[in-house]
Amino acid sequence: MQKYSMRKLTSGALALFLIAGFMLVDSSAQKRRRKRRASAPRITNPAIYQPSANDNANTAGDTSTSNENANGQGNTQNTKPSSGDPEEMKRTIRSLSSQVDKLTDKLGQMQEEQRSLVDLERLSRGEQHSAQLHAEMRDVQAKEAELQARLEDINYALKPENIERATAGYGSTHPEEVREQRRKQLEAEKQRVQGQLDHLAASRASLEQAIAAAESEVDRLRKRLDAADQAAIENAKRKAQAEASSQSAQPYSSPTPTPGP
């Protein structure tokens, strides 16, 4: 019984000791928090300036005065009469229109010159192409003449008496076979030559069409260039006449006599 009471007293004392320790720790923590809160800076709002009634009245008066001055200046500028000389405006318009006409004429002349240069280049190419086609035509005609002569020789050799004369010197026991072989050779050569002649005839026909088209193009370009040259000459004459008429239309101003001593 005594042991139980001693244990109870011991546990109670230990509990009191722990409670006292917790209370001391809590009080020290609260003191630290108070110190930190006391050291924190305070934020204060600045005072806002409130203008007085006299200041507002003065500001409104200055604003109305400046507006009246601006309106007065605008009205003065608007009421100023426009001093424009109609004769000067007419002269300016005539000068500008003459400059525009000159620029238009110059632009048209440049375009005509550019077109003429292009036509000249095309004409040169067309003439070269036409010359090349004519050269090819001469070659075809020469080959046709050679093949035609060879065909005539073959036709002459195909005659029976000529075949017999050509095979008489072979001395074969079967002369008819030799003559037949000779005739077949000539017929094969004739077909080959005739095929070449047909091919050359087709080439000659296509060349004739190409030459006709090239010559037509060359003639058209030459006519266009001649027309452009004639138009340029006419324009030059017209400009010269216009300048001469404008100079003659200007009034002659006689020189003012110098006063005597």
Side-chain angles (χ1 to χ4, degrees):
M1 190 70 181
Q2 291 179 356
K3 291 181 179 180
Y4 178 74
S5 61
M6 288 294 291
R7 289 178 181 176
K8 191 173 182 181
L9 290 173
T10 304
S11 60
L14 183 59
L16 290 173
F17 180 74
L18 291 174
I19 290 169
F22 282 130
M23 290 177 68
L24 289 174
V25 171
D26 191 9
S27 63
S28 62
Q30 288 180 359
K31 289 180 180 180
R32 290 177 182 175
R33 289 176 184 173
R34 289 176 182 175
K35 288 181 180 180
R36 289 178 182 176
R37 289 178 182 176
S39 62
R42 293 182 180 180
I43 299 172
T44 58
N45 295 325
I48 299 173
Y49 173 73
Q50 297 291 335
S52 62
N54 293 327
D55 294 338
N56 293 330
N58 293 329
T59 304
D62 295 338
T63 305
S64 61
T65 304
S66 61
N67 291 331
E68 289 176 358
N69 292 330
N71 292 329
Q73 291 178 0
N75 293 328
T76 305
Q77 292 177 358
N78 292 329
T79 54
K80 286 183 179 180
S82 60
S83 60
D85 190 2
E87 294 297 331
E88 184 67 24
M89 292 177 65
K90 289 180 181 179
R91 285 193 294 270
T92 304
I93 291 171
R94 284 196 295 269
S95 176
L96 291 174
S97 63
S98 64
Q99 291 179 5
V100 170
D101 293 337
K102 289 180 181 179
L103 290 175
T104 304
D105 294 338
K106 187 176 291 185
L107 181 61
Q109 185 178 0
M110 291 174 64
Q111 290 178 352
E112 290 294 334
E113 291 177 355
Q114 186 69 23
R115 192 179 297 110
S116 298
L117 290 175
V118 173
D119 290 339
L120 281 173
E121 185 178 359
R122 292 176 61 186
L123 178 61
S124 177
R125 291 180 181 177
E127 289 176 349
Q128 291 178 1
H129 183 57
S130 179
Q132 183 179 0
L133 291 175
H134 279 290
E136 292 179 3
M137 177 63 75
R138 287 192 294 270
D139 293 339
V140 169
Q141 289 175 352
K143 290 179 180 179
E144 279 185 337
E146 292 177 0
L147 292 174
Q148 192 67 35
R150 179 56 184 165
L151 185 61
E152 291 178 358
D153 292 339
I154 292 171
N155 288 328
Y156 181 77
L158 279 172
K159 292 181 178 181
E161 60 273 15
N162 293 329
I163 292 175
E164 186 175 358
R165 188 182 300 112
T167 58
Y170 285 100
S172 175
T173 56
H174 300 283
E176 64 277 2
E177 293 180 0
V178 176
R179 288 194 294 269
E180 184 65 21
Q181 185 178 1
R182 174 64 178 172
R183 188 183 64 79
K184 287 181 179 180
Q185 289 177 356
L186 292 173
E187 287 290 342
E189 187 176 0
K190 180 181 178 180
Q191 290 180 1
R192 182 176 60 81
V193 172
Q194 188 63 46
Q196 291 179 358
L197 284 172
D198 294 339
H199 179 70
L200 289 174
S203 299
R204 180 168 51 82
S206 62
L207 283 173
E208 287 176 354
Q209 293 179 359
I211 288 171
E215 289 180 351
S216 177
E217 181 68 15
V218 168
D219 292 338
R220 186 178 66 83
L221 291 173
R222 284 176 180 171
K223 289 179 181 179
R224 181 186 291 181
L225 287 172
D226 292 339
D229 293 339
Q230 189 66 27
I233 293 171
E234 293 294 333
N235 289 331
K237 289 181 179 179
R238 195 180 300 109
K239 287 181 180 179
Q241 292 176 359
E243 290 178 358
S245 62
S246 63
Q247 289 179 0
S248 62
Q250 291 179 358
Y252 176 74
S253 60
S254 60
T256 57
T258 57

